[in-house]
Amino acid sequence: MTKIVQFSTIGALMAGHLEGEKQFSKVCCGCNFGLGCSADMDGELTIYDGQAYEATAGQSLETLNFAEKVPFIQITDFKPKQRHDVENIDHTNIEACLTRFIQPKNIFLAVSVEGVFEKITIRRPHRAAEGQVRSVSQIAEAQQVDTHCQIEGRLIGFWTPELFGRVSVPGFHFHFLDQQKKISGHVLEFLMKKAQLSFEEKTTLEVTNPKSKSYKDMNIDVTMLDEMIHKVEK
Ligand SMILES: [Zn+2]
């Protein structure tokens, strides 16, 4: 598959459109790899082998029911043609590392990094209380951040050029899933001595907008939005 299939945009999500509108089963067909979040930003989603794993603070990792509706998801079929063994890779040098193999600045990539993580810091949102309405800032500030050491697993994510930075998170956006499928979340930092870096160029990004009236009526301040995307998602 040469495309990334996406429901909604990081811009709409960060502007506060958190309602689950698209059934997971309707986007996941034929796709085995991706990320997103669950309705009301109750959890970070990591899609691997056709299952979505929902990481929520204070709760064990659950698989998302295929009938659940999600507010934002990016998914693809990951069949990387390039796999490289790399050493001493972390969140600060991965772009330079990738650039040794491909010039990424203007293209979309699905990217995975596998192996034993010396250290990885991930975050998970808390589930909203019954009837609680939360802003994106409130959710972001209350997230649980955890660091795990000597843990085997994989980063699952995408590289998006700055040009598309309101559609998808510009640069890398990674979620983590451990080998045991017990630990997952949005990646803040990581460090590996040895890793396998694999990636696949995706020439097409197919975006479906939410259909709801609440989405159509939203006023989005794009200047505020850019700050929000960098603050919350980077
Ligand atoms: Zn994320």
Side-chain angles (χ1 to χ4, degrees):
M1 186 189 259
T2 55
K3 71 180 174 185
I4 297 166
V5 175
Q6 178 172 328
F7 177 70
S8 195
T9 55
I10 200 70
L13 186 75
M14 288 296 109
H17 191 71
L18 310 179
E19 290 125 81
E21 275 196 43
K22 188 76 169 180
Q23 219 169 31
F24 174 54
S25 61
K26 301 255 168 70
V27 267
C28 77
C29 338
C31 295
N32 59 8
F33 181 98
L35 52 77
C37 70
S38 47
D40 304 320
M41 255 196 209
D42 278 351
E44 296 278 357
L45 297 180
T46 306
I47 296 90
Y48 179 68
D49 254 354
Q51 291 280 359
Y53 296 88
E54 184 184 21
T56 299
Q59 297 188 9
S60 54
L61 194 64
E62 302 277 353
T63 52
L64 191 80
N65 193 304
F66 283 86
E68 288 285 327
K69 290 181 175 170
V70 296
F72 172 77
I73 196 163
Q74 284 181 298
I75 201 160
T76 191
D77 186 21
F78 189 56
K79 292 204 175 78
K81 289 174 191 72
Q82 293 212 50
R83 287 182 183 275
H84 300 279
D85 291 324
V86 294
E87 290 183 354
N88 301 316
I89 187 169
D90 65 26
H91 57 283
T92 66
N93 66 17
I94 183 169
E95 184 177 347
C97 181
L98 182 74
T99 307
R100 280 166 33 207
F101 309 112
I102 192 167
Q103 172 53 268
K105 63 182 175 183
N106 297 324
I107 60 171
F108 303 113
L109 294 168
V111 185
S112 185
V113 183
E114 293 170 60
V116 175
F117 291 75
E118 295 300 308
K119 210 170 159 185
I120 183 157
T121 303
I122 54 175
R123 55 150 218 239
R124 297 173 290 165
H126 290 269
R127 193 172 293 283
E130 195 70 38
Q132 185 189 12
V133 178
R134 307 180 294 178
S135 69
V136 174
S137 298
Q138 284 169 331
I139 296 167
E141 280 158 22
Q143 290 189 101
Q144 183 176 328
V145 176
D146 296 295
T147 298
H148 301 272
C149 296
Q150 294 298 324
I151 184 168
E152 191 177 357
R154 53 179 48 81
L155 306 186
I156 290 171
F158 298 98
W159 165 272
T160 301
E162 195 73 38
L163 183 63
F164 290 85
R166 290 171 187 163
V167 176
S168 174
V169 176
F172 289 107
H173 183 189
F174 282 126
H175 286 190
F176 172 74
L177 181 65
D178 81 314
Q179 197 64 17
Q180 310 297 322
K181 301 190 177 73
K182 289 200 161 34
I183 294 166
S184 186
H186 174 98
V187 176
L188 298 174
E189 296 182 3
F190 73 96
L191 169 66
M192 300 170 86
K193 281 188 184 148
K194 284 179 192 293
Q196 193 175 61
L197 168 70
S198 50
F199 55 89
E200 190 181 12
E201 185 177 348
K202 300 289 179 182
T203 49
T204 306
L205 180 65
E206 183 184 284
V207 180
T208 302
N209 270 329
K211 285 185 189 157
S212 60
K213 187 174 183 310
S214 61
Y215 173 71
K216 287 173 185 158
D217 288 347
M218 274 181 94
N219 290 316
I220 300 176
D221 177 336
V222 289
T223 309
M224 294 271 288
L225 182 66
D226 289 344
E227 283 171 27
M228 196 72 169
I229 293 170
H230 281 268
K231 198 173 105 196
V232 177
E233 288 295 335
K234 295 295 286 177

